[in-house]
Amino acid sequence: MNKRMMVFACMCMCMSVIMSGLNAQTVIKGTVLDGKNGEAIIGGSVIIQGTTEGTITDWDGSFEFDTAEKVPMTLIFSYVGYEEYTLDVNAIEDFKILLNESTEVLQEVVVKGSRISEQTKKSPLSIESLDAVAIKQTASNSFYEGLGSLKGVDLTTASLGFTVINTRGFNSTSPVRSLQTIDGVDNQSPGLNFSLGNFLGSSELDIQKVDLVVGASSAFYGPNAFNGVISMETKNPFFHEGLSASLKFGERDLFNTEVRWADSFKNKDGDQFVAYKLNLSYLRAYDWVADNFDPISDSDNNQAFDEAGENPGRWNAVNIYGDESFQKFSSLYDQNAGLNTFHRTGYREEDLVDYNTRNTKLGAAVHFRTNPSKGFESPEIIIASNFGSGTTVYQGDNRFSLRGINFYQNRIEFRKKDKYFIRAYATNEDAGDSYDPYFTALKMQEYANTNENWSNDYRRWWTGASQGDVFNRMKELGYPAEGTEAQLAWQNEFSDSLNLWHSQAAAFADSGEGQNALNPLAQPGTEKFDSLFQDITSRKNNEAEDGTRFFDQSALYHIHGEYKFDFGFFDEFRIGTNARLYRPNTEGTIFRDGVDRISNFEYGVYTGGTKKLGNVDISAAIRFDQNENFDPLLSPAASLVWNPAENNYFRLSFSSAIRNPTLSDQYLDLNVGPARLLGNLSGYEGLVTLESFEANNSNPNEPYVFTDIDPIQPEKVKTLEVGYRTVLGGNLFLDGSYYYNIYNDFIGYQIVLDVPFDTISIPGLPPIINPNLFDTEVYRISANSSETVTSQGFAIGFNYYLNQYSFAGNYSWNKLNTNSNDDIIPAFNTPEHKYNVSFGGRNLTWISEDITTGFNINYKWIQGFVFEGSPQFTGDIPSYDMLDAQVSFNFK
């Protein structure tokens, strides 16, 4: 029996057990509106008279909850500032309630589980949410960073302008396995194919709600919803009018200001028919300086370190670029004595990167109601435009300086909430003056000298009688003629002298006075450095211009439609389709489009339905996706949610996801100096493995091993999840879940070499074939792993509400089961254990009735783990904890 059949059989058995105890439930739903202007009542209370059963209204005034009570019953609707409304219910229908304003202030009505929506409690997926109030009271620099306090969420902050959200493992600073949407619009960069955090996202003042769907969700959200979905919903100007503004100040010259304005207009009948909103956000700060000059992790150059742990000939430092080139000398008693291992003079990142972070976001939207007399129930036409721009540091496989990057997103949509929509949008980007600091360092070194010639000049100074003649100096200071241990001990004792001589040798090699030097090495802070830096970073990183600047004016075009039906067997049945066209344009600086433009088209069709049988909700969905470069794929999903008693929900789900290779995985062609990064749409043949090349360098008798790399394919994951949600005592909400993931065709990278061979002909002898190491190229090629990988995890969280106060906590455990030696499989990069604890209050009237306050305190602890990025950026992250606090004041 295959795995899919096992999962299906498991679900069927569970359903048969549950169905035996089904009890009929009554569904109460409707909307609550302002009786005067028809606006939605947000957070209004709906309870059944004589009980504590009920819920609160959502941002659009809608409500829905299940009850074991039978009609007839009496519902009580209330909201602060409005008259209480009582409705006798004799039949179940979709209610529309109008509340009238009151001159009396009503006492707060406590509703069981009121701060947790029924949609969240009944969801078959693991969903974490922040509502509008929680966003304002987040104990973090921004709401986006505040998502890190939710259970199962991992935050990686590479710079002040670039924070990345990951879930359930295989985290990276390039979050290609997560999908981020704003009002249903994919927020990814068209060229990079992932979101740059909220750097090009939405203003915090305009965020109404954030849902974070944890786990594989392609059947519900499409390709790339691999490990999770960050779904942001902005405020509707019909419901959120007026002026709002915020100011934030902090260390590192942090200044952040946001302004939002929204208004609406009424027609001659007094109905709202058009509304608009405008948003402005500006962030300024001086970023953290990358000044880690320790050796990179697992550095092994056979260096002779002294007792202080320092090598006189330097080392490959984390944030110095160009010092990766080194020479080794093993002689302990000849003219090379004391050289050991020495590294070329590199450039510090702080001399190559602009740390002045800037981020500007502008947004505008106009909403038209096509049938204004229906108010909230009217279909809407939405025309929206967003612009983001700024400068920051981006951490990927390398460090990149994003300077003056621009991002444009335009959308038009026709929708009726919870019924249908058709949405079209276009995303365009311009990389501005962005460049690669690491490659810039190498180019600046090339201007002075080649690595080989620089090393020769270094050694000439060391061994030259007129310049260094270090060996004779060492003998004058008593350098022992014999005994390895004695010689190493002497080098440790006289490390100050060795440090001096190595610095003098490096200064000579940098001076441009050597035998084959081209120019002196340009020194930071000089006019020559500034001129050379500007010249290199202003030229494009392609064969024609030979610079390090990225040109990227890529575009993404997307159309998406969906319709929900209420008919037949299903309580709700939906069908949808979408199509997307990528149009990269990098002029050969990133992709293979130096001569001809490339494009990539994909589309998908999905359908699914839900059915309520007694106190069990059953849902199933399936999605078909086709990318023009790959075979079609299916993403099925199925779940059941059992509600055996009031406010108790058990869930069991099977889900799956695919991730199409990114444009980089398919078309990348980027020279970064030590290697050439390549996409892999067609496959490669006859390349030398890195392991055999290194073995041959150590022992020429070791033969080269040749390998072929198959064309890249989509990666896939299947997830089985069980969970439980409950509300205890009307105040305590608990949610726990366990997942098991099975991954196939992981997309990673394989490092190989293209080694040309020269044939040497000698009369009378067989031809001699030698490798040409001077023309050898190193490739890093996108590839799939052939191994199957599994992981598992558990998360539990609680929220306790007592009037206006809340106490919350969560714990997460994530484990990679498969210990693979396949270098293609990306690093797990996830702490095994972590937890959060928080305490907060809302709408507290400590000062006066007109001034309310709020606060939130969050403590987090994260277990140490190894974060594996590129070799330059791999290292141990120690266990750490953090305390965040926030206080807010609201002036009515």
Side-chain angles (χ1 to χ4, degrees):
M1 181 181 293
N2 61 34
K3 294 175 182 175
R4 289 189 181 182
M5 292 299 296
M6 291 176 64
V7 171
F8 179 75
C10 177
M11 295 184 69
C12 289
M13 286 189 292
C14 291
M15 287 174 56
S16 64
V17 173
I18 295 170
M19 293 286 287
S20 62
L22 296 180
N23 294 313
Q25 294 277 302
T26 302
V27 180
I28 307 296
K29 63 179 180 178
T31 36
V32 181
L33 307 174
D34 186 303
K36 184 177 180 180
N37 55 32
E39 294 181 358
I41 299 293
I42 305 170
S45 298
V46 184
I47 62 172
I48 301 174
Q49 188 177 55
T51 75
T52 55
E53 288 189 68
T55 187
I56 60 171
T57 56
D58 208 343
W59 68 273
D60 54 10
S62 63
F63 67 89
E64 181 176 343
F65 66 97
D66 298 338
T67 178
E69 299 287 332
K70 302 293 190 297
V71 293
M73 68 178 71
T74 300
L75 298 179
I76 300 175
F77 300 87
S78 61
Y79 187 66
V80 175
Y82 289 80
E83 296 179 356
E84 185 177 274
Y85 183 80
T86 301
L87 176 67
D88 293 324
V89 178
N90 296 309
I92 301 304
E93 57 183 281
D94 195 348
F95 302 106
K96 181 178 180 181
I97 306 301
L98 302 178
L99 296 185
N100 297 318
E101 292 185 0
S102 171
T103 57
E104 298 180 2
V105 178
L106 298 179
Q107 293 183 346
E108 181 180 6
V109 179
V110 179
V111 180
K112 184 176 292 187
S114 62
R115 295 194 194 177
I116 306 298
S117 69
E118 289 297 308
Q119 180 182 8
T120 297
K121 287 187 287 188
K122 294 166 61 176
S123 173
L125 303 172
S126 289
I127 297 180
E128 298 294 309
S129 299
L130 286 180
D131 62 15
V133 177
I135 288 170
K136 286 191 289 186
Q137 296 185 350
T138 295
S140 298
N141 179 53
S142 69
F143 80 93
Y144 202 83
E145 294 180 7
L147 294 172
S149 64
L150 302 178
K151 71 175 183 289
V153 178
D154 297 306
L155 279 188
T156 302
T157 300
S159 64
L160 276 174
F162 187 55
T163 298
V164 174
I165 293 175
N166 289 286
T167 59
R168 292 192 175 175
F170 300 104
N171 298 333
S172 75
T173 53
S174 303
V176 291
R177 291 176 175 82
S178 296
L179 175 67
Q180 180 170 297
T181 65
I182 301 177
D183 294 328
V185 175
D186 194 337
N187 189 229
Q188 70 169 263
S189 159
L192 296 173
N193 298 152
F194 59 81
S195 300
L196 294 173
N198 199 41
F199 190 71
L200 304 172
S202 180
S203 163
E204 182 170 317
L205 287 179
D206 196 39
I207 294 292
Q208 170 67 26
K209 183 182 180 185
V210 182
D211 286 330
L212 199 149
V213 182
V214 182
S217 309
S218 277
F220 303 96
Y221 293 94
N224 305 334
F226 204 73
N227 278 8
V229 179
I230 304 109
S231 176
M232 292 183 258
E233 188 175 282
T234 65
K235 295 175 180 177
N236 189 315
F238 279 114
F239 306 132
H240 299 272
E241 298 184 23
L243 176 68
S244 53
S246 72
L247 287 172
K248 294 180 182 179
F249 301 92
E251 295 181 356
R252 309 201 67 80
D253 196 31
L254 172 67
F255 172 72
N256 181 209
T257 182
E258 295 187 345
V259 179
R260 181 184 185 274
W261 168 256
D263 199 4
S264 65
F265 301 97
K266 297 180 180 180
N267 59 19
K268 61 182 180 180
D269 297 322
D271 299 319
Q272 291 177 301
F273 76 99
V274 62
Y276 70 93
K277 63 180 179 180
L278 302 171
N279 284 282
L280 167 65
S281 174
Y282 175 74
L283 169 70
R284 179 200 71 208
Y286 187 72
D287 212 333
W288 297 290
V289 176
D291 54 4
N292 182 354
F293 305 132
D294 294 334
I296 67 170
S297 179
D298 298 327
S299 179
D300 182 17
N301 295 333
N302 295 323
Q303 298 164 326
F305 287 92
D306 62 21
E307 293 177 351
E310 296 180 351
N311 180 49
R314 297 176 299 197
W315 52 86
N316 181 4
V318 173
N319 291 127
I320 297 180
Y321 310 140
D323 61 351
E324 298 79 13
S325 176
F326 65 92
Q327 290 286 318
K328 296 180 183 178
F329 288 89
S330 58
S331 174
L332 290 174
Y333 197 84
D334 64 16
Q335 62 179 352
N336 297 314
L339 266 175
N340 303 320
T341 299
F342 62 89
H343 287 248
R344 185 165 186 181
T345 305
Y347 288 99
R348 298 185 178 191
E349 181 182 290
E350 57 193 295
D351 297 320
L352 301 167
V353 167
D354 183 2
Y355 289 119
N356 290 293
T357 294
R358 300 288 185 269
N359 184 206
T360 301
K361 290 183 283 220
L362 301 172
V366 182
H367 293 231
F368 301 91
R369 285 179 172 171
T370 59
N371 192 346
S373 62
K374 288 191 174 182
F376 164 75
E377 296 180 355
S378 170
E380 286 184 0
I381 296 173
I382 302 171
I383 301 173
S385 182
N386 292 285
F387 167 76
S389 178
T391 294
T392 190
V393 179
Y394 159 58
Q395 171 73 58
D397 296 316
N398 208 349
R399 297 277 282 180
F400 299 98
S401 184
L402 303 183
R403 190 166 61 175
I405 187 173
N406 294 320
F407 188 82
Y408 311 86
Q409 201 159 54
N410 299 295
R411 166 175 65 112
I412 184 169
E413 180 173 354
F414 178 57
R415 73 180 185 188
K416 183 175 183 181
K417 183 172 173 58
D418 295 327
K419 190 64 178 178
Y420 59 78
F421 68 82
I422 181 167
R423 176 189 306 131
Y425 59 88
T427 305
N428 298 80
E429 68 183 351
D430 186 337
D433 297 320
S434 302
Y435 61 94
D436 181 344
Y438 175 76
F439 199 22
T440 299
L442 303 188
K443 290 288 185 183
M444 297 184 76
Q445 288 179 328
E446 285 179 12
Y447 171 82
N449 211 339
T450 66
N451 290 331
E452 183 180 8
N453 288 338
W454 186 92
S455 298
N456 290 336
D457 287 342
Y458 196 107
R459 195 163 76 88
R460 285 190 187 99
W461 185 92
W462 196 269
T463 60
S466 63
Q467 297 164 328
D469 194 14
V470 171
F471 181 54
N472 286 329
R473 299 187 195 183
M474 293 171 64
K475 288 192 294 184
E476 292 172 1
L477 293 174
Y479 189 66
E482 296 180 357
T484 299
E485 291 184 5
Q487 291 167 351
L488 292 176
W490 184 96
Q491 291 190 28
N492 278 326
E493 182 180 354
F494 290 89
S495 59
D496 289 344
S497 297
L498 285 174
N499 284 328
L500 174 63
W501 296 329
H502 271 283
S503 65
Q504 291 173 338
F508 173 76
D510 293 337
S511 68
E513 298 176 4
Q515 185 173 340
N516 295 304
L518 301 174
N519 297 286
L521 185 71
Q523 298 298 323
T526 65
E527 184 178 345
K528 182 60 183 177
F529 176 92
D530 295 339
S531 174
L532 182 60
F533 176 83
Q534 181 61 32
D535 175 60
I536 292 173
T537 58
S538 63
R539 289 185 276 116
K540 296 173 185 173
N541 181 18
N542 56 22
E543 293 183 1
E545 298 189 19
D546 195 31
T548 60
R549 175 178 164 241
F550 296 119
F551 178 89
D552 186 5
Q553 294 184 354
S554 300
L556 177 159
Y557 306 97
H558 189 103
I559 187 168
H560 185 186
E562 180 182 284
Y563 196 93
K564 294 181 182 179
F565 300 88
D566 300 318
F567 66 91
F569 174 79
F570 295 98
D571 296 322
E572 178 184 285
F573 184 82
R574 74 174 66 185
I575 186 168
T577 182
N578 70 279
R580 174 176 295 184
L581 175 66
Y582 292 99
R583 287 289 283 165
N585 178 20
T586 69
E587 295 190 0
T589 64
I590 301 174
F591 300 127
R592 298 171 188 162
D593 58 354
V595 178
D596 299 319
R597 286 283 301 272
I598 56 179
S599 64
N600 189 235
F601 177 74
E602 62 185 29
Y603 69 92
V605 179
Y606 60 94
T607 185
T610 61
K611 177 65 177 179
K612 187 174 185 63
L613 299 174
N615 55 2
V616 174
D617 290 316
I618 303 172
S619 65
I622 190 167
R623 182 182 176 93
F624 169 93
D625 282 291
Q626 170 75 76
N627 183 291
E628 64 173 301
N629 291 329
F630 308 105
D631 294 333
L633 292 169
L634 294 176
S635 303
S639 67
L640 59 86
V641 179
W642 177 34
N643 178 210
E646 179 188 354
N647 285 323
N648 285 269
Y649 298 89
F650 291 94
R651 64 185 187 275
L652 171 66
S653 68
F654 166 79
S655 60
S656 59
I658 65 166
R659 182 174 83 82
N660 284 323
T662 63
L663 295 178
S664 295
D665 294 325
Q666 299 180 56
Y667 303 106
L668 184 66
D669 190 351
L670 180 61
N671 186 352
V672 294
R676 189 173 166 191
L677 314 184
L678 298 176
N680 182 18
L681 196 55
S682 303
Y684 294 87
E685 298 179 351
L687 299 174
V688 175
T689 65
L690 178 63
E691 293 79 6
S692 69
F693 183 83
E694 291 177 338
N696 180 269
N697 275 350
S698 301
N699 181 5
N701 293 322
E702 290 288 335
Y704 287 131
V705 176
F706 293 86
T707 186
D708 299 335
I709 301 178
D710 294 331
I712 198 75
Q713 296 296 321
E715 64 180 16
K716 311 165 189 71
V717 63
K718 304 178 185 68
T719 299
L720 184 64
E721 181 173 341
V722 294
Y724 172 69
R725 297 184 181 105
T726 186
V727 178
L728 301 176
N731 301 93
L732 178 63
F733 175 71
L734 293 174
D735 183 10
S737 64
Y738 166 83
Y739 73 88
Y740 190 87
N741 285 338
I742 303 172
Y743 297 92
N744 294 100
D745 295 320
F746 253 127
I747 295 177
Y749 308 104
Q750 190 165 342
I751 298 177
V752 291
L753 298 96
D754 183 10
V755 182
F757 292 87
D758 296 333
T759 301
I760 302 175
S761 299
I762 300 176
L765 295 175
I768 301 174
I769 301 176
N770 286 331
N772 182 350
L773 300 183
F774 290 104
D775 294 329
T776 294
E777 288 194 82
V778 181
Y779 297 149
R780 194 202 71 177
I781 299 174
S782 298
N784 296 100
S785 172
S786 59
E787 294 189 25
T788 297
V789 177
T790 65
S791 67
Q792 61 180 327
F794 171 78
I796 186 169
F798 73 90
N799 297 77
Y800 182 78
Y801 301 111
L802 181 61
N803 298 324
Q804 293 126 308
Y805 296 95
S806 64
F807 183 64
N810 59 69
Y811 163 80
S812 302
W813 172 71
N814 293 279
K815 182 71 172 178
L816 178 63
N817 301 323
T818 308
N819 294 319
S820 173
N821 294 320
D822 190 346
D823 292 334
I824 295 177
I825 296 173
F828 198 57
N829 289 347
T830 303
E832 184 171 355
H833 304 280
K834 60 177 182 280
Y835 65 84
N836 287 270
V837 180
S838 66
F839 175 59
R842 299 180 176 186
N843 300 322
L844 306 173
T845 54
W846 291 349
I847 301 175
S848 73
E849 292 293 332
D850 295 325
I851 302 177
T852 58
T853 62
F855 70 92
N856 193 15
I857 302 170
N858 188 82
Y859 173 82
K860 68 169 55 177
W861 178 86
I862 294 179
Q863 185 184 40
F865 62 101
V866 177
F867 192 98
E868 299 178 65
S870 62
Q872 189 80 5
F873 304 110
T874 292
D876 292 321
I877 296 179
S879 298
Y880 68 92
D881 56 3
M882 182 182 298
L883 181 67
D884 290 315
Q886 184 254 24
V887 177
S888 62
F889 297 88
N890 182 46
F891 301 88
K892 295 184 180 180

